Structure formats: structure tokens, C-alpha cells
Amino acid sequence: MRALVVEEGLLVAADVCAALTAAGYLTDTASDGEDAWYRGDTEDYDVVVLDLGLPRMDGLSVLKK
């Protein structure tokens, strides 16, 4: 299963990715809203962990788009 972790904080993203990897997920990361939207539009993910306060496009806008 694939997971996308969208978080601008590198340490938080690393911790979330480590937990998801331990649970058997393959993880990708994005650190801003535009990258998250692009990845979500072009890749298939089973789950997305989405921060709401992101640079370049906030998390709610990513979700709506």
C-alpha cells in the first residue's frame, strides 16, 4: 500500500513516514501544497496524511482541487 505524507516540517514528516513504513506502507513525501496536488493527481495513493498549513497552497485547497 502507498501513502503520501504532506508536511513541511522535515522531522514530523520523517516520524510519520517511519510509523507508516513500520506498518507496511511505501511512503512518498511532499512539503508544499502544489507538489502534493501534483502527486495526488498523477499517482495512486491508498492514504494521504495532509497538513492543513502548507506553503504555496493550503491543505484544504489541495483537498478541494
Side-chain angles (χ1 to χ4, degrees), residues 1-22:
M1 292 181 50
R2 293 185 65 200
L4 176 62
V5 176
V6 185
E7 168 61 53
E8 67 180 304
L10 297 178
L11 294 177
V12 174
D15 287 346
V16 173
C17 286
L20 288 169
T21 299

Side-chain angles (χ1 to χ4, degrees), residues 4 6 30 32-43 45 50 54 57-58 61-65:
L4 176 62
V6 185
D32 65 69
E34 288 184 5
D35 187 29
W37 177 82
Y38 176 77
R39 287 175 182 265
D41 192 46
T42 60
E43 299 290 332
Y45 291 101
L50 180 62
L54 296 168
M57 183 187 308
D58 65 88
S61 295
V62 171
L63 187 58
K64 289 177 185 177
K65 194 172 180 181

